[in-house]
Amino acid sequence: MTGLDPMLVFDRATLRRRRERAARDWRPRAFLKREIASRLVERLDDVRRTFASALDLGSHGDEFATALADRKTVGWLVRADLGHGFARLARGPAVVADEEFLPFAPNSFDLVVSAMDLHWVNDLPGTLVQIQRILQPDGLLLGAMLGGATLWQLRQALTAAESEIEGGLSPRVSPFADLRDAAGLLQRAGFALPVADSETIEVEYDNALSLMRDLGAMGESNLVVERRRGLARRATLLRAAEIYGERFALPSGRVAASFEVLFLHGWAPHESQPKPLRPGSAARRLADALGTAEQSAGEKAGRG
């Protein structure tokens, strides 16, 4: 081997093991997934349409189904998760499946939802292509994944502590996608009418060490392939917690942790969907609507 595969960012084997551990005592750690699933269902309510068959990709403890409650929006819901333990927690049909190699036939579902799962995929464009393929024409993808501004406070504290104590840096918090790239990824994967937006969820902890313990219990701690192996130095973690408290303490004495959530919304193409106008087919000129003079792109604008 001459080097790591550039597409291999996350250690998926470790992710699977952590998912299995997290499933053993998931309920006390499910608060963030419950909140994200609830917000996803609110967005589904805005669609004002029913879906006969749906896939919950990354089902965890069945939080999306719980948030649906007695709504009639979704008919048959299949759960899929990388971990056997989470698949066993489902209260309906469930499969163990890898998000990078989806085991479903084309046109299998009217709806695919995914809450707090896609941020651990190495080839996100490839997975989005697979999701588009398993959707029926005019089927909907509604996803929520952690974004690049997630845990920015922890990144700062760990960077400062490691530089101070160990004299160098290693990836301590996994990288996530940025909002500015999200809609483009949907479009590249063949989705029509792609939309992406973000919300930030603020969570309070007693201290940074409590946050780090919670991330580990949720299976959401660092999975970068090139991360430093072995246990982190105790002195580094304690110093990071101290820095975190100094920089990000709340009036209550607790600390805040930010989770940026990217919401993805895209449709599998269908002939009934709105199409962009053909270039040059507009009935009116934009210059007329704005009350200005039209300027050729090849001319230099003069001063007024």
Side-chain angles (χ1 to χ4, degrees), residues 63-103:
E63 287 77 21
F64 176 76
T66 301
L68 275 176
D70 57 356
R71 290 174 176 82
K72 305 302 181 184
T73 311
V74 175
W76 186 54
L77 178 64
V78 177
R79 291 82 160 168
D81 201 278
L82 185 65
H84 290 77
F86 280 129
R88 287 194 293 267
L89 293 178
R91 299 188 306 277
V95 297
V96 176
D98 189 329
E99 301 89 344
E100 297 187 343
F101 304 97
L102 296 179

Side-chain angles (χ1 to χ4, degrees), residues 270-277:
H270 188 265
E271 60 183 12
S272 66
Q273 294 164 351
K275 302 291 193 301
L277 292 175

Side-chain angles (χ1 to χ4, degrees), residues 8-292:
L8 191 61
V9 179
F10 302 119
D11 184 345
R12 301 273 302 174
T14 298
L15 174 62
R16 186 188 295 271
R17 291 194 295 270
R18 290 179 179 176
R19 282 280 181 91
E20 296 297 352
R21 287 199 300 268
R24 297 169 194 162
D25 189 29
W26 176 244
R27 189 174 297 275
R29 315 295 180 183
F31 61 91
L32 185 59
K33 176 63 184 276
R34 283 195 299 268
E35 178 62 26
I36 294 175
S38 176
R39 297 188 187 198
L40 208 57
V41 168
E42 290 176 0
R43 288 164 181 262
L44 187 61
D45 289 341
D46 293 337
V47 177
R48 300 183 182 279
R49 166 177 163 177
T50 58
F51 299 89
S53 60
L55 172 67
D56 180 3
L57 186 60
S59 56
H60 289 90
D62 227 9
E63 287 77 21
F64 176 76
T66 301
L68 275 176
D70 57 356
R71 290 174 176 82
K72 305 302 181 184
T73 311
V74 175
W76 186 54
L77 178 64
V78 177
R79 291 82 160 168
D81 201 278
L82 185 65
H84 290 77
F86 280 129
R88 287 194 293 267
L89 293 178
R91 299 188 306 277
V95 297
V96 176
D98 189 329
E99 301 89 344
E100 297 187 343
F101 304 97
L102 296 179
F104 305 105
N107 306 325
S108 294
F109 302 100
D110 300 302
L111 169 70
V112 173
V113 298
S114 182
M116 201 173 156
D117 185 64
L118 293 176
H119 54 273
W120 290 130
V121 170
N122 280 304
D123 181 11
L124 183 55
T127 292
L128 291 175
V129 168
Q130 293 183 63
I131 292 173
Q132 198 267 108
R133 189 177 298 132
I134 66 175
L135 281 168
Q136 295 185 16
D138 207 30
L140 174 65
L141 164 65
L142 196 57
M145 57 186 284
L146 296 183
T150 293
L151 299 175
W152 63 270
Q153 303 97 328
L154 183 59
R155 294 175 197 271
Q156 283 193 19
L158 285 170
T159 296
E162 192 167 22
S163 179
E164 176 184 319
I165 293 178
E166 301 185 29
L169 300 176
S170 64
R172 290 289 187 182
V173 180
S174 298
F176 300 130
D178 290 323
L179 175 61
R180 64 178 179 271
D181 299 325
L185 290 174
L186 289 171
Q187 191 170 31
R188 282 175 53 195
F191 283 94
L193 310 174
V195 177
D197 66 287
S198 70
E199 297 179 8
T200 299
I201 299 175
E202 301 285 348
V203 181
E204 292 188 14
Y205 285 91
D206 289 336
N207 51 57
L209 293 177
S210 296
L211 165 62
M212 287 184 267
R213 283 194 295 268
D214 229 9
L215 292 173
M218 287 190 290
E220 295 291 330
S221 53
N222 186 16
L223 282 170
V224 175
V225 171
E226 294 183 335
R227 68 193 183 276
R228 185 171 294 177
R229 303 296 172 144
L231 297 175
R233 292 186 185 179
R234 177 179 175 82
T236 301
L237 295 182
L238 291 176
R239 179 57 181 147
E242 184 178 21
I243 293 171
Y244 202 117
E246 293 170 353
R247 297 184 182 181
F248 308 114
L250 300 169
S252 63
R254 293 159 65 84
V255 298
S258 300
F259 294 87
E260 182 190 27
V261 184
L262 306 184
F263 290 93
L264 311 179
H265 185 287
W267 296 87
H270 188 265
E271 60 183 12
S272 66
Q273 294 164 351
K275 302 291 193 301
L277 292 175
R278 178 174 50 83
S281 63
R284 295 186 61 198
R285 298 187 312 153
L286 178 61
D288 293 339
L290 297 176
T292 63

